[in-house]
Amino acid sequence: MPDKKKEFIVFADVVHHNLRIDKRLSCIINTPEFQRLKDIRQLGLAHYVYPCANGTRFEHCLGVCHLAEEVLNHLQEVQPELEITDDDKDCVKIAALLHDVGHGPFSHLYERAVNKAYPDEKFKHEQMSIKIARKILQKEKVSDEFPTMKDENLKFIEELITPKSIDKDWPYKGRPSSKCFLYEIIANSKTGIDVDKIDYVQRDTHYLNFRSNIQWNRCLATLRVKNDNKLYLPRLCFRDKVETNLLDIIQARRHIHVRAVQHRTIRGLEEVLKKAMIEANDFLTFKGQNGVSHKLLLAWKDISAYININDSIFERIHNSREFELRPARICIERIVKRELLYFCCQVNCQNGKKLSELEKQLKRSDIIFYFYDYRIRSAVENGTPEKNILYYSKSNDDVAFCNQHPTTSYEENGCKSALIYCEKLDDRDKLKTLVHEFCYNNGILFGENGVYPDFE
């Protein structure tokens, strides 16, 4: 049962109304490493298209921690035989709070800029989250409040932040396979139904003003741990009657993905900002440990330097007067004045190699390609989360089963897409002609499932 004597701090929240956070976690929340998340937008430059899209990683992390505790308390109440320990709960709550602490300016945009400038580095914000989490947990106040957060518990927290695929062999060291369900609370690699996705879908739909019918509390009320007949592991499972509610969550996430994350204007703006970051990289430096300076896109190699960078780099470049920053400043001024890249067309194709061939054929510095996959691969292993959700029925609640549901053609076929932009309006018609010729010669249909021409 949840500890009723435990003290909480309460945050007013636009999504969950009142966020109840374990008071002991305030020693983590009040660190500079975590406070910097207040200045990192969750949706990048989406506010240039959706003016209210100003949610931050700070409030998202608090929301995920709140939801994680709700799940843990619920499971303790309905299934005490699971033997969820206090250390288990503390580890999950800390991981929920710190899972996104490694994000850079404008969230995923910084990650893309680093990997564009330094492709061999293969920078991922999850790995940065682990490094920062280690530093936070080593602080004196934090270690005094959570003295058991070391060794296998620390390993458990790291594994919760970067989940692995579970096949025949158990891949984790922090907890045994009997605690498999704990690894599905924050980041569920099988179904994509986890507290991270629940919070950001609810939060993003609120800030984007998208209509949604998400009823997570109804789903949570039916949540149980059942044995998976395929993996023979205890996993999170829902009553079959809330299936439509879970599908609503998945559908809402897809709407965010298509209408905001991959919005062509937002992507065009972010490509310009990414170029600005790369142009400013050699001249915008941040001091790290022992006073050593690090370039903007290499600041992640030193945590002390990394925690000093956030979305304020936009204004820092915009208000700069250094001659060396002029190319980056011009890019920022284009964004401020909404002098956008000119959208040419969108090419959809199941064969990603053909899109790469098209990029090589049109290789020019003033032509910008942005590639993405219609399937939301970052959430689940095969891009079709609804096929992996485990259910149980009222008549036979000991048996867990999956429902094989049809998905949209793009989800099922793994259609890939390229957004193509040019910097000069005079080049757009010529570029369209070249793209259409390439598509015709390579059997890519023009129209509903092929090239989408510019439209306003």
Side-chain angles (χ1 to χ4, degrees):
M1 294 289 290
D3 186 357
K4 295 182 180 179
K5 296 182 181 179
K6 188 177 292 182
E7 294 185 15
F8 294 90
I9 47 178
V10 180
F11 296 88
D13 184 60
V14 296
V15 175
H16 308 296
H17 306 299
N18 291 310
L19 294 175
R20 295 175 77 246
I21 305 293
D22 187 338
K23 191 174 182 178
R24 296 176 302 152
L25 293 171
S26 61
C27 63
I28 295 176
I29 295 170
N30 294 333
T31 60
E33 292 85 353
F34 191 82
Q35 288 291 314
R36 67 181 279 274
L37 297 179
K38 289 180 177 178
D39 296 314
I40 296 178
R41 284 188 175 90
Q42 174 133 327
L43 287 165
L45 293 179
H47 60 287
Y48 277 88
V49 175
Y50 299 98
C52 295
N54 285 302
T56 66
R57 290 283 165 184
F58 180 85
E59 61 197 81
H60 166 61
C61 288
L62 292 179
V64 174
C65 183
H66 165 77
L67 292 178
E69 178 143 28
E70 283 192 335
V71 171
L72 291 164
N73 289 343
H74 168 77
L75 292 176
Q76 271 193 320
E77 182 176 354
V78 299
Q79 292 182 273
E81 67 275 12
L82 295 174
E83 299 181 349
I84 300 174
T85 66
D86 289 342
D87 275 357
D88 289 340
K89 293 183 69 174
D90 286 345
C91 287
V92 173
K93 288 186 291 185
I94 290 171
L97 196 62
L98 298 178
H99 78 285
D100 272 350
V101 76
H103 269 295
F106 300 96
S107 293
H108 295 283
L109 181 57
Y110 179 82
E111 198 170 329
R112 294 199 297 271
V114 171
N115 292 323
K116 176 74 173 179
Y118 303 101
D120 294 335
E121 296 289 354
K122 297 180 180 179
F123 171 73
K124 292 184 178 180
H125 76 271
E126 292 91 350
Q127 296 301 325
M128 201 64 209
S129 292
I130 289 176
K131 291 180 181 179
I132 296 176
R134 286 176 187 160
K135 181 178 181 180
I136 291 174
L137 292 172
Q138 288 172 357
K139 291 176 180 283
E140 185 176 353
K141 287 185 179 180
V142 180
S143 59
D144 288 346
E145 196 69 68
F146 298 97
T148 62
M149 292 301 112
K150 53 186 70 172
D151 301 328
E152 67 175 17
N153 283 335
L154 180 59
K155 185 67 177 177
F156 182 38
I157 291 171
E158 295 174 1
E159 291 170 344
L160 288 168
I161 294 174
T162 54
K164 300 176 183 177
S165 176
I166 301 175
D167 295 315
K168 293 181 179 180
D169 298 325
W170 183 244
Y172 299 116
K173 297 178 181 179
R175 288 295 185 274
S177 59
S178 60
K179 294 290 181 76
C180 175
F181 62 93
L182 293 176
Y183 286 94
E184 297 187 308
I185 293 176
I186 298 173
N188 193 327
S189 61
K190 286 288 183 184
T191 69
I193 300 294
D194 52 58
V195 293
D196 177 28
K197 310 301 185 301
I198 298 301
D199 182 84
Y200 96 61
V201 167
Q202 289 182 306
R203 199 167 296 281
D204 289 359
T205 52
H206 170 83
Y207 281 115
L208 294 166
N209 197 28
F210 290 173
R211 290 185 179 181
S212 65
N213 184 31
I214 298 172
Q215 298 182 35
W216 169 243
N217 287 337
R218 173 176 163 81
C219 300
L220 177 60
T222 73
L223 183 64
R224 301 291 186 273
V225 173
K226 307 286 182 184
N227 282 320
D228 182 349
N229 292 328
K230 292 183 179 179
L231 296 175
Y232 301 103
L233 294 170
R235 293 182 54 207
L236 298 181
C237 194
F238 298 88
R239 258 293 301 276
D240 52 0
K241 68 178 182 179
V242 301
E243 178 184 13
T244 54
N245 301 110
L246 295 172
L247 295 182
D248 285 341
I249 294 169
I250 294 170
Q251 193 59 35
R253 183 165 187 255
R254 284 179 179 149
H255 284 162
I256 294 169
H257 187 72
V258 173
R259 296 170 59 192
V261 177
Q262 307 296 357
H263 190 288
R264 71 178 197 188
T265 303
I266 296 171
R267 279 306 184 193
L269 288 164
E270 291 187 344
E271 287 298 310
V272 176
L273 181 53
K274 183 172 74 174
K275 183 178 179 181
M277 288 184 184
I278 294 172
E279 293 284 0
N281 182 45
D282 291 336
F283 312 105
L284 205 58
T285 60
F286 299 84
K287 285 189 177 181
Q289 197 170 9
N290 300 323
V292 178
S293 294
H294 297 269
K295 296 179 181 179
L296 171 62
L297 299 181
L298 291 176
W300 55 272
K301 292 193 172 185
D302 186 328
I303 295 176
S304 298
Y306 190 68
I307 63 173
N308 292 321
I309 62 173
N310 51 43
D311 290 5
S312 64
I313 63 168
F314 186 97
E315 292 300 329
R316 182 170 170 181
I317 295 172
H318 187 216
N319 296 325
S320 66
R321 292 293 177 267
E322 295 89 343
F323 177 78
E324 295 84 359
L325 288 173
R326 186 172 181 273
R329 192 161 56 245
I330 290 173
C331 293
I332 297 296
E333 287 173 354
R334 286 191 65 173
I335 296 173
V336 172
K337 296 176 181 178
R338 291 190 69 84
E339 295 175 355
L340 310 179
L341 295 173
Y342 295 100
F343 179 75
C344 172
C345 55
Q346 176 175 328
V347 182
N348 297 330
C349 180
Q350 292 183 34
N351 189 340
K353 291 182 179 179
K354 288 186 178 181
L355 295 181
S356 297
E357 290 175 11
L358 175 59
E359 182 185 26
K360 290 178 181 178
Q361 185 168 317
L362 302 175
K363 192 70 174 179
R364 274 170 42 185
S365 61
D366 58 344
I367 297 177
I368 292 89
F369 275 72
Y370 175 74
F371 295 99
Y372 71 92
D373 194 330
Y374 269 91
R375 297 196 294 181
I376 44 180
R377 289 179 180 271
S378 59
V380 293
E381 292 171 6
N382 62 6
T384 52
E386 59 269 46
K387 292 185 177 181
N388 299 327
I389 300 174
L390 285 177
Y391 299 99
Y392 66 93
S393 65
K394 183 178 181 179
S395 60
N396 191 357
D397 64 358
D398 290 330
V399 178
F401 61 91
C402 296
N403 279 352
Q404 297 298 310
H405 280 274
T407 59
T408 62
S409 60
Y410 289 144
E411 292 288 335
E412 189 68 32
N413 296 328
C415 184
K416 294 175 175 59
S417 183
L419 300 178
I420 305 173
Y421 304 84
C422 57
E423 293 188 352
K424 298 178 182 178
L425 181 60
D426 294 341
D427 292 339
R428 184 159 65 171
D429 289 338
K430 297 177 183 177
L431 183 56
K432 279 184 180 180
T433 301
L434 292 173
V435 172
H436 293 172
E437 288 178 357
F438 177 88
C439 293
Y440 178 80
N441 294 333
N442 287 272
I444 302 174
L445 298 177
F446 175 86
E448 183 178 0
N449 293 315
V451 180
Y452 291 76
D454 189 18
F455 61 94
E456 299 292 348

